Amino acid sequence: MNQPYASHVSSPQLIALVDPYVYHAFQGLNGKEVVVETVRGSIQGTVRDVKPDHLVISAHQAVYYIRLAQVVSVRLGN
């Protein structure tokens, strides 16, 4: 017989695209001073951790969590 409409609706699922090349490149910068250009501006600091979807930068006594999808470019800092 006919199934109720609610049984056809699935729960929301998170889909995150990971670029393994970008992730691997940032792993090589762990502990180094960098300037990260994002879609909202730039942050200069030290790479403290790298995850498949974000990186952790410490700068000016603050900690920043930056989604890798928001990174435009990166270069070594001074």
Side-chain angles (χ1 to χ4, degrees):
M1 302 234 142
N2 291 338
Q3 295 287 335
Y5 177 75
S7 67
H8 295 289
V9 177
S10 62
S11 60
Q13 295 180 356
L14 175 65
I15 298 175
L17 300 176
V18 176
D19 186 339
Y21 296 105
V22 173
Y23 172 62
H24 182 70
F26 272 111
Q27 283 184 317
L29 296 174
N30 204 3
K32 296 192 172 146
E33 182 84 11
V34 296
V35 178
V36 179
E37 184 72 32
T38 71
V39 295
R40 297 191 64 185
S42 63
I43 298 174
Q44 181 171 352
T46 304
V47 178
R48 294 294 179 204
D49 196 11
V50 180
K51 301 295 183 191
D53 64 334
H54 71 278
L55 64 123
V56 181
I57 302 279
S58 63
H60 310 292
Q61 300 176 341
V63 177
Y64 299 91
Y65 298 85
I66 303 170
R67 291 181 53 215
L68 292 181
Q70 301 297 308
V71 173
V72 175
S73 66
V74 63
R75 66 178 170 86
L76 290 176
N78 299 347

